[in-house]
Amino acid sequence: MTPPWRLAGTLIPAMAFLACVRPEGWEPCVEVVPNITYECMERNLYKIPSSIPSSAKNLDLSFNPLMFLASHSFSRFPELQVLDLSRCEIQTIEDDAYWGLNYLSTLILTGNPIQNLAPGAFSELFRLQKLVAVEINLSSLEDFPIGHLRTLKELNVAHNFIHSFKLPEYFSNLTNLEYLDLSNNKIQNIHCDDLYVLHDKSNLSLDLSLNPIAFIQPGAFNKVKLGGLTLRSNFNSTHVMKQCIQGLAGLEVQQLVLGEFKNERCVEEFDKSALEGLCNLTIAEFRLAFLDDFPEDTNGFFKCLVNVSAVSLANLYLNSLEGLPRDIKWQSLKLVKSKVNQFPTLALPSLKRYIFTTNRGATSFAEFELKNLEFLDLSRNGMSFKSCCSQSVFGTTSLKYLDLSFNDVITMSVNFIGLELLEHLDFQHSTLKQASQFSAFLSLSKLLYLDMSYTHTQVAFHGIFSGLVSLQVLKMAGNSFKDNSLSAVFTDLTNLTFLDLSKCQLEHVSPGVFDTLLRLQFLNMSHNNFVLLDVLSFNPLQALQILDCSFNKIESSEGQELQYFPSHLTTLNLTQNPFDCSCKYQSFLQWIKDQRQLLVEAKQLECAMPPDMRGMLVLSFRNATCQINKIVIIVTVVSVLVVSVIAFLVYKFYFHLMLLAGCKKYGRGENTYDAFVIYSSQDEDWVRNELVKNLEEGVPPFRLCLHYRDFIPGVAIAANIIQEGFHKSRKVIVVVSRHFIQSRWCVFEYEIAQTWQFLSSHAGIIFIVLQKLEKSLLRQQVELYRLLSRNTYLEWEDNILGQHIFWRRLRKALMDGKPRSPEGTADAENNQQETTALT
Amino acid sequence: MTRFVITLLVWTLISPGNGSWGGGTSWPTHTACRKEGLEVLYQSCDPLQDFGFSVDQCAKHLKPNLNIRVGIILREDIRELYLDIVLISKGASVFNYSYPICEVDLPKFSFCGRKKGEQLYYAGPMNNPGFEIYEGKYQVLLELYNEKRTTLACANATVICS
C-alpha cells in the first residue's frame, strides 16, 4: 500500500503543472464561423495554434508575438483567404513563408518591425488582391518583393519611411492595381521619370497625403491618367502648394483631392493663385477640404474649375459663393461645414446635384432657380423655410431627392406643385408646421421614401398621407397622434413595406388601421404606451416579417386572438414590457414560450406582475402552477355539487331512507290501519283523489280506514266507527271543512274520537283544514274551535309548493308513533306531544 | 505535513492561470493633470489595453480648445471613429454627448483611416468650449468606437475640483 504522503508527492507536481499550463494551450482561438473564421487576436501565441482546422478561410492572428515567419508557415491552411498578422512583432519573413496559400486574397502585415524580408517572401500568393503593409519599416518600394503579384488591386504602404516616389519597374506587371496608398511617408520630391511606369495605366488612385512634398518637377504627371490623386497636408506654404500644383500639369484625373487635415495645418494665408495651376489639368471631380484663411473674394478662384463636373468643398472658411464664372459646367456641388453667412442663391443651370449641409451660418432659406436639379440635400443647416414646397421654391420640376432634415421650422403651405417626380423626401428633426392640416403630399404619387420623424407633427387629419400610392418607407417616429390613438391614416399606402411609429405616445390602435398595408414587412411600434398586444389589428399584415413592440407597457394579449398573428413573422421584439404572469394570461405566456425562436432576447423577458413573480423570467413560467389552482377549483365545484345532490336525494327520498334505516321491521302492531279518516261525504272527492292516492300509494305506504271501503256492512254505523275506525287505527285524521261542521255524523265521529283519545290515551288527532272557515261557523263547534285555535293543524293549499309541504308534514305526523318493532308500542302521551310539536 | 499538502492542493486548484485574457485585471489609474485644485485621473476600461492621455492646461476655468495628447495602438481599423462622453455627477448622468471624429467623406483628422495594429499619437487641440468647473467630484466616461461599434478605447475618468 502506497503511503499517503507519497501519493501526494506525485499528485502535487502534476496538479501544479496543470494549473500553470495556460488555457490557450488547447483552445486559444474564437471560432466565429465554424471551420471558416477563427479569431486569435492577442492570445500570446508564439506559433500558429494546431487546433485550427485546415478548412479555415479567415484567420486573425494579430497581436501575438510570432516574431518570425519561417517558410511554409501556413501550408496547413490551403483554403485561407484572409490572413491578419497585424502587430505580431515579425522581424523576419523567410522565402516561401506563404507557400501554398493559393486562395489568399488579403494579407495584413500592419505594425510589424520587419527587418529581413526575403526576396521570395511573398512567393506564390497567386490570387492576392489586397496587401496592407502599413508601418512595417519599409524604406523603399524598390526592395519590396511584390513584382509578381499580378492580381494585386490594393497596395497600402502608408506610414513607412519611403523617400523616393519612383515607382519601380515591376509596377508595369501590376496591371490590376487600382489603389496605391503612399500616405504618411517621407516623399519630398517627385521627378519626371518617377511615374514613367504609369503611362499606360488609367485607373490607379494614388494617395500621397502627409508626405512633406517640396517639389514636383513640371511634366512629372504629364500625360499620366489617374483614377484619383489625394494631396492633403503635403505642402508647408502657399508658395510650395502653388508650385507643386503647377507641377501636376498634363495630368488627367478622375478625382483630385486637395487641402489639409484639421490637425496638420501648414499652409497659412491661402491664396487663390495657389490653384492657378489647375487650369493645366483635366479633372472630373475636385474636392477641397480644411483650408484656413480662404480668400474673401472667391471671384476667380474657380476659374480653372469651370469644366469640372463635380465640386466638393468641406470645412473651408468660405463666406459666399458670389461671383462664380458664368460658363461653369458643374453638375454636382457639395458644400459642407463652410462659413457662409447666408444661403447662396446659385444660378447654375447645369447643376443636377446640390448638397449644402452643416453650414451654420445660413439661417433662412432663399428661393433659387436650378432648372435641372434632381438631387437636393439641405440638411443640418438649422435654416427656416417659410413656404414649402413647390416648383417655384427650387426652380426645378426634375427634383427626385429632397432632404430638409435637421433644420429649423419648415412651414408646409403648398402641396408640392410641380414636384411630382419626387421619390425621396426627408424632414426628420425639423419642425413641420401645418403638415397635418391638409393633404400636403397629394400630388406625390411617385414618392418612395418619406421621413417625418421627430418633426413635432400631431396627426389629426385623416388625409395627411393621401396620394402617396407608391410609398414604400414611412418614418413617423417621435410624433404624436390625436387622442394617442392610431386612426385610419394609411389607407392610400398600399405599397408600404416599412413603417416606423416608435415614440409616438400611442395607446391604442383603431380597428382597420392596417387593413390596406398588405405589403408591410417591417413595423416598429416600440417606445409607445400600449398596454395590450393587440393581435387582431396586426392580422391584415400578412407580409409582415419584423414587428418591434419593445419598450411599451404591454402586460398581455387576448389568448384566443393569438392564432390570428401574421404567419410570415420572423422577428418579434417584446423586450422591456411589464408582463403579467398571472394564470389568467396563461395562454399568452404559453404562446410566448412556443414562439421563442421568433422573439428577440426571449430569455431576458421578465414578469412585472403579480408582485410575487416580479423579476421572474417569462420562459420559466410553468403551466403546472395554474393547473394546481384549476384542480382545486374543480374539486371544490364537484364536491359542492355532490353534497347538494346528496342533500337533494336525502330530502327527496327521506321517507324511503327512514324505512331503510330504522323501520325495516315496521309493522302496524295490533292496529290494522295507520289512520282513521273522519270527513264529510261532501269532501269525498278530495279524500279519494288526494288523500288516499298520496298516502296509500306513496312511500311509505299508509293504510287508511275509510268508511266507504272498510266499514263492515250490516253492522251499525256507530259500531263500525268504534270497531273498525278507532279500535284498529293508530291515528285519526279529521278533514275539517264547512261540510264537516254542518254534517252531524262527522261531528259525532269527532266527538267520539275525542272521547276515545281521552279514554285510551292512545290515538293522536291530526287536523286537516280543507277550506278557510268562517269564525261564526266554527263557533258552532265550541270544542273544535278551541282545539284549532290552540293546536297546530294542517291546511290544504292550492299551490304545488304548499301541497308538497302539506304531504311531507302529514307523512311525518303519521310516521310518529309508528312502532319500530312489532313489540314496540307507541306512547300515547308522546304522540300527543309530537302532534302538537309540529308547530 | 498533511496541512501543507492540503494548502498546496487548494492553492494549485484555485490559483488562476496568468493568461492575457484571465479577466479581472484592471489597468492602473493615471493622472492626466493635477494643478490648482483640479485633478483629473483616468483608468482604461477597455479590457484589451491601457492608453496614455494628458491635458496641457489644467485649470478650474477650462479654456476652449484645450491641447491634449493621446497615444494608443489601434485594435481595429478606424475608417469611422466616434467619441461618446457621459458626465456623471452624484450617481446620475448629467450630460451625454456623441461626437463624430472620423467620417468616411473627407475625414477631418490625419489619423482617420488608420489600420488595426497601427500606432496613433495625437497632440493637438480638442474642440471644447471654455467653461468653469464647479467644485465637486465628477465621473466622466469616454468611449471611442468605430463603424462596427467596436470599442477602440474606453476611459473612466474622475475630475476632482476643490
Side-chain angles (χ1 to χ4, degrees):
Chain A
M1 184 129 174
T2 327
W5 61 267
R6 193 179 286 177
L7 187 71
T10 47
L11 262 176
I12 293 162
M15 302 278 279
F17 171 74
L18 282 172
C20 292
V21 170
R22 289 177 182 186
E24 299 96 287
W26 50 82
E27 209 48 76
C29 299
V30 179
E31 192 179 59
V32 183
V33 181
N35 296 322
I36 305 286
T37 304
Y38 289 85
E39 202 257 285
C40 317
M41 186 175 166
E42 209 155 14
R43 294 285 193 266
N44 214 13
L45 300 171
Y46 291 91
K47 61 182 184 62
I48 300 146
S50 52
S51 59
I52 294 168
S54 59
S55 59
K57 288 183 176 168
N58 304 317
L59 181 56
D60 182 355
L61 287 167
S62 55
F63 294 89
N64 289 298
L66 297 179
M67 311 292 240
F68 176 84
L69 288 186
S71 61
H72 298 65
S73 284
F74 300 93
S75 55
R76 278 199 295 120
F77 310 105
E79 306 284 321
L80 221 52
Q81 291 176 0
V82 178
L83 177 59
D84 188 348
L85 295 169
S86 301
R87 209 158 272 274
C88 285
E89 299 173 37
I90 298 167
Q91 294 175 11
T92 304
I93 302 180
E94 285 194 343
D95 282 327
D96 300 324
Y98 305 103
W99 189 89
L101 299 184
N102 293 333
Y103 295 98
L104 196 73
S105 67
T106 303
L107 176 60
I108 302 170
L109 288 169
T110 309
N112 286 296
I114 298 173
Q115 288 166 2
N116 304 309
L117 192 61
F122 299 115
S123 66
E124 306 248 335
L125 299 176
F126 297 122
R127 296 207 169 111
L128 195 69
Q129 295 188 351
K130 181 176 174 181
L131 177 58
V132 181
V134 173
E135 207 183 352
I136 62 159
N137 285 348
L138 191 66
S139 55
S140 157
L141 281 175
E142 198 70 54
D143 306 334
F144 205 44
I146 53 164
H148 61 291
L149 301 175
R150 289 172 183 275
T151 50
L152 204 64
K153 284 185 176 173
E154 185 180 333
L155 175 61
N156 193 334
V157 285
H159 204 172
N160 279 304
F161 303 105
I162 300 168
H163 282 87
S164 166
F165 184 54
K166 171 138 182 73
L167 299 182
E169 278 296 320
Y170 65 74
F171 268 78
S172 55
N173 292 342
L174 309 180
T175 46
N176 290 300
L177 198 66
E178 291 170 3
Y179 180 74
L180 173 59
D181 192 343
L182 276 163
S183 63
N184 206 2
N185 274 292
K186 307 287 176 199
I187 298 166
Q188 287 183 318
N189 301 311
I190 297 176
H191 299 288
C192 268
D193 54 347
D194 284 357
L195 286 161
Y196 175 73
V197 291
L198 288 183
H199 276 268
D200 317 332
K201 290 185 156 292
S202 62
N203 60 343
L204 183 71
S205 287
L206 199 57
D207 192 344
L208 289 169
S209 302
L210 298 159
N211 280 292
I213 297 175
F215 172 69
I216 298 179
Q217 191 174 9
F221 285 87
N222 195 21
K223 292 183 183 170
V224 171
K225 287 184 183 175
L226 288 176
L229 177 61
T230 306
L231 292 165
R232 289 183 72 181
S233 293
N234 290 97
F235 316 111
N236 61 11
S237 73
T238 313
H239 176 70
V240 175
M241 186 174 180
K242 184 178 175 180
Q243 279 199 333
C244 286
I245 286 174
Q246 277 171 348
L248 296 174
L251 175 68
E252 192 181 326
V253 64
Q254 277 295 311
Q255 187 189 68
L256 178 66
V257 184
L258 293 178
E260 300 197 304
F261 290 103
K262 194 183 176 188
N263 59 323
E264 302 278 351
R265 283 185 166 148
C266 310
V267 177
E268 286 169 9
E269 293 175 18
F270 180 73
D271 185 348
K272 63 187 173 189
S273 67
L275 300 183
E276 273 174 4
L278 293 178
C279 287
N280 301 320
L281 272 71
T282 310
I283 307 164
E285 186 185 345
F286 177 74
R287 317 185 92 191
L288 190 64
F290 287 97
L291 277 175
D292 278 333
D293 303 320
F294 207 79
E296 280 278 320
D297 175 21
T298 52
N299 198 0
F301 177 80
F302 296 106
K303 69 179 181 188
C304 290
L305 297 166
V306 168
N307 295 320
V308 171
S309 69
V311 172
S312 180
L313 307 168
N315 291 82
L316 301 178
Y317 280 80
L318 190 68
N319 292 325
S320 74
L321 276 174
E322 300 300 316
L324 286 174
R326 288 197 170 270
D327 52 347
I328 233 159
K329 295 191 180 71
W330 298 351
Q331 291 187 6
S332 168
L333 172 61
K334 184 172 178 180
L335 204 60
V336 185
K337 294 181 186 169
S338 68
K339 295 283 187 266
V340 290
N341 39 32
Q342 62 178 33
F343 183 74
T345 50
L346 298 169
L348 295 169
S350 58
L351 210 62
K352 287 184 178 171
R353 209 179 145 87
Y354 183 25
I355 300 165
F356 180 85
T357 70
T358 332
N359 299 289
R360 288 288 160 186
T363 52
S364 66
F365 172 78
E367 294 183 4
F368 54 71
E369 187 164 353
L370 295 166
K371 278 179 189 162
N372 291 306
L373 201 66
E374 289 174 8
F375 185 105
L376 179 60
D377 181 355
L378 298 175
S379 61
R380 297 173 193 274
N381 295 311
M383 282 195 298
S384 58
F385 294 75
K386 287 190 179 115
S387 172
C388 176
C389 295
S390 70
Q391 170 206 351
S392 62
V393 176
F394 309 117
T396 173
T397 53
S398 317
L399 207 62
K400 287 181 179 170
Y401 182 106
L402 178 60
D403 187 349
L404 299 178
S405 58
F406 296 93
N407 276 299
D408 198 27
V409 176
I410 300 174
T411 309
M412 304 283 282
S413 54
V414 202
N415 56 357
F416 295 90
I417 300 162
L419 298 173
E420 288 83 7
L421 297 178
L422 265 178
E423 289 173 3
H424 183 110
L425 191 52
D426 193 345
F427 289 116
Q428 62 166 309
H429 291 92
S430 298
T431 303
L432 278 184
K433 278 198 174 164
Q434 301 171 19
S436 185
Q437 291 182 7
F438 64 111
S439 297
F441 310 109
L442 195 61
S443 57
L444 300 181
S445 61
K446 290 186 175 161
L447 198 72
L448 303 174
Y449 181 101
L450 175 61
D451 192 344
M452 286 176 65
S453 316
Y454 305 96
T455 51
H456 302 100
T457 304
Q458 207 217 6
V459 180
F461 174 54
H462 280 221
I464 178 171
F465 300 120
S466 292
L468 295 170
V469 288
S470 304
L471 198 71
Q472 291 174 356
V473 177
L474 176 60
K475 297 182 178 178
M476 281 295 291
N479 290 306
S480 61
F481 287 79
K482 195 187 173 193
D483 301 329
N484 294 332
S485 164
L486 195 61
S487 52
V489 289
F490 307 122
T491 325
D492 280 3
L493 312 183
T494 49
N495 282 306
L496 205 67
T497 56
F498 182 106
L499 178 58
D500 185 355
L501 292 168
S502 57
K503 295 189 179 172
C504 285
Q505 302 154 42
L506 286 169
E507 284 167 9
H508 82 280
V509 179
S510 307
V513 168
F514 300 130
D515 279 2
T516 51
L517 307 183
L518 300 177
R519 295 190 180 170
L520 197 72
Q521 291 173 7
F522 178 94
L523 177 59
N524 187 351
M525 309 263 274
S526 63
H527 295 272
N528 280 301
N529 297 326
F530 291 109
V531 178
L532 204 68
L533 183 65
D534 188 1
V535 174
L536 279 183
S537 66
F538 302 128
N539 186 34
L541 305 173
Q542 285 310 315
L544 195 68
Q545 291 177 1
I546 299 171
L547 174 61
D548 190 346
C549 287
S550 57
F551 292 92
N552 272 288
K553 294 174 180 169
I554 296 173
E555 292 174 6
S556 69
S557 177
E558 297 291 336
Q560 61 271 28
E561 292 175 1
L562 293 166
Q563 52 177 314
Y564 300 113
F565 222 69
S567 52
H568 288 89
L569 210 66
T570 56
T571 308
L572 173 62
N573 194 340
L574 289 175
T575 51
Q576 303 295 332
N577 279 297
F579 292 108
D580 188 341
C581 296
S582 324
C583 284
K584 60 179 169 178
Y585 301 121
Q586 188 189 355
S587 54
F588 174 64
L589 298 166
Q590 182 58 43
W591 182 83
I592 286 189
K593 287 168 76 174
D594 295 343
Q595 306 292 327
R596 70 177 82 178
Q597 76 283 2
L598 288 187
L599 289 164
V600 176
E601 292 178 12
K603 287 176 184 167
Q604 269 90 53
L605 296 181
E606 284 185 3
C607 303
M609 277 176 290
D612 58 314
M613 292 171 90
R614 188 187 294 272
M616 199 188 88
L617 296 177
V618 174
L619 286 188
S620 67
F621 176 82
R622 286 171 58 209
N623 287 335
T625 47
C626 293
Q627 271 160 6
I628 290 169
N629 288 341
K630 266 189 185 167
I631 287 167
V632 168
I633 291 167
I634 289 169
V635 165
T636 318
V637 168
V638 166
S639 42
V640 165
L641 267 175
V642 165
V643 166
S644 16
V645 164
I646 289 172
F648 175 76
L649 289 174
V650 166
Y651 180 76
K652 175 99 180 165
F653 298 104
Y654 175 76
F655 298 104
H656 300 70
L657 283 172
M658 290 293 282
L659 277 184
L660 278 172
C663 309
K664 272 185 184 167
K665 297 169 185 169
Y666 158 72
R668 249 168 239 106
E670 66 250 32
N671 301 319
T672 316
Y673 304 107
D674 286 304
F676 171 50
V677 185
I678 305 171
Y679 64 98
S680 154
S681 55
Q682 300 276 340
D683 299 323
E684 195 163 305
D685 272 354
W686 182 83
V687 171
R688 277 174 187 243
N689 294 332
E690 296 284 347
L691 196 71
V692 175
K693 210 173 166 188
N694 269 296
L695 292 182
E696 294 203 335
E697 291 167 20
V699 176
F702 293 102
R703 192 163 157 72
L704 300 176
C705 177
L706 298 163
H707 68 81
Y708 67 86
R709 190 178 68 187
D710 300 316
F711 280 10
I712 302 161
V715 181
I717 292 173
N720 257 332
I721 288 171
I722 292 166
Q723 285 295 322
E724 290 298 315
F726 294 110
H727 250 301
K728 294 186 180 172
S729 302
R730 285 194 299 115
K731 303 253 177 184
V732 175
I733 295 175
V734 182
V735 181
V736 183
S737 70
R738 198 155 38 85
H739 308 296
F740 177 90
I741 295 167
Q742 285 163 354
S743 161
R744 284 198 293 123
W745 274 113
C746 289
V747 174
F748 170 69
E749 277 174 338
Y750 162 69
E751 276 169 0
I752 289 179
Q754 278 214 308
T755 321
W756 192 255
Q757 185 182 350
F758 175 72
L759 282 177
S760 69
S761 315
H762 185 245
I765 300 175
I766 301 166
F767 293 99
I768 297 173
V769 177
L770 211 54
Q771 302 154 327
K772 283 260 177 220
L773 295 169
E774 292 163 27
K775 278 192 172 176
S776 57
L777 203 65
L778 204 60
R779 277 203 184 101
Q780 292 173 9
Q781 287 294 322
V782 180
E783 194 63 22
L784 186 66
Y785 174 74
R786 220 184 62 228
L787 255 167
L788 284 181
S789 56
R790 221 187 293 152
N791 285 358
T792 307
Y793 53 87
L794 288 168
E795 206 165 333
W796 176 250
E797 289 182 43
D798 288 333
N799 58 8
I800 293 171
L801 185 68
Q803 288 177 6
H804 175 81
I805 295 168
F806 173 87
W807 290 121
R808 284 189 77 87
R809 291 176 71 189
L810 184 59
R811 281 205 181 91
K812 219 169 172 187
L814 284 173
M815 294 272 285
D816 273 338
K818 259 194 175 184
R820 304 222 163 188
S821 61
E823 300 89 345
T825 44
D827 188 0
E829 209 175 79
N830 280 351
N831 279 345
Q832 177 64 31
Q833 279 174 3
E834 281 164 17
T835 315
T836 51
L838 277 168
T839 318
Chain B
M1 177 69 193
T2 333
R3 207 171 277 174
F4 171 70
V5 169
I6 289 167
T7 321
L8 202 64
L9 263 173
V10 169
W11 174 77
T12 49
L13 283 172
I14 64 168
S15 66
N18 53 351
S20 58
W21 47 306
T25 49
S26 56
W27 301 105
T29 304
H30 308 283
T31 307
C33 83
R34 182 184 291 159
K35 215 180 194 179
E36 297 166 17
L38 184 71
E39 194 176 355
V40 181
L41 307 166
Y42 74 93
Q43 187 183 28
S44 170
C45 45
D46 180 356
L48 285 175
Q49 66 174 330
D50 199 0
F51 66 97
F53 173 81
S54 74
V55 190
D56 282 5
Q57 301 95 341
C58 192
K60 281 187 202 174
H61 182 79
L62 207 66
K63 288 176 187 161
N65 300 323
L66 278 179
N67 273 317
I68 57 160
R69 274 180 279 196
V70 188
I72 192 171
I73 290 173
L74 298 172
R75 252 62 178 176
E76 287 289 333
D77 291 358
I78 49 165
R79 236 169 96 80
E80 290 173 45
L81 185 66
Y82 304 92
L83 172 66
D84 273 9
I85 302 174
V86 182
L87 176 66
I88 297 166
S89 175
K90 291 168 190 163
S93 163
V94 191
F95 175 76
N96 270 301
Y97 186 64
S98 191
Y99 179 74
I101 296 174
C102 293
E103 289 163 301
V104 180
D105 199 39
L106 290 175
K108 191 185 283 186
F109 295 100
S110 58
F111 53 76
C112 295
R114 289 213 173 168
K115 303 288 177 187
K116 173 184 176 183
E118 201 172 352
Q119 272 188 39
L120 188 155
Y121 176 74
Y122 175 77
M126 197 167 70
N127 189 18
N128 66 296
F131 58 88
E132 191 82 33
I133 302 174
Y134 295 104
E135 277 191 18
K137 187 175 175 181
Y138 308 93
Q139 290 283 323
V140 187
L141 296 177
L142 300 141
E143 193 195 0
L144 282 170
Y145 56 91
N146 71 353
E147 66 275 16
K148 292 189 275 180
R149 196 59 183 85
T150 314
T151 303
L152 281 130
C154 167
N156 202 341
T158 311
V159 180
I160 304 162
C161 184
S162 53

